[in-house]
Amino acid sequence: MAYLSAMEKSPVDGSKILDLIRDALTDEIDDRELFIKGIDYSYYYETEE
């Protein structure tokens, strides 16, 4: 819900969406488990209605 709210406000104030993105960033770019979880989550969001 926070994501949708931030997206709605982003044309006027992009700081909320930037905060969400910044909080989601990680230094663990070589972590295979984290990478696979990201792929799994992307499929989850594609099928959600």
Side-chain angles (χ1 to χ4, degrees), residues 8-21:
E8 288 174 345
K9 296 174 184 171
S10 67
V12 177
D13 178 12
S15 65
K16 298 298 181 195
I17 195 73
L18 290 175
D19 289 341
L20 288 174
I21 293 170

Side-chain angles (χ1 to χ4, degrees), residues 1-47:
M1 196 66 177
Y3 175 75
L4 292 177
S5 177
M7 287 298 292
E8 288 174 345
K9 296 174 184 171
S10 67
V12 177
D13 178 12
S15 65
K16 298 298 181 195
I17 195 73
L18 290 175
D19 289 341
L20 288 174
I21 293 170
R22 191 176 297 113
D23 291 345
L25 295 177
T26 180
D27 291 331
E28 300 175 30
I29 61 170
D30 294 326
D31 186 336
R32 180 179 171 83
E33 182 180 349
L34 185 65
F35 179 75
I36 297 300
K37 281 183 182 178
I39 292 172
D40 288 343
Y41 287 143
S42 72
Y43 285 119
Y44 169 77
Y45 287 113
E46 288 179 11
T47 59

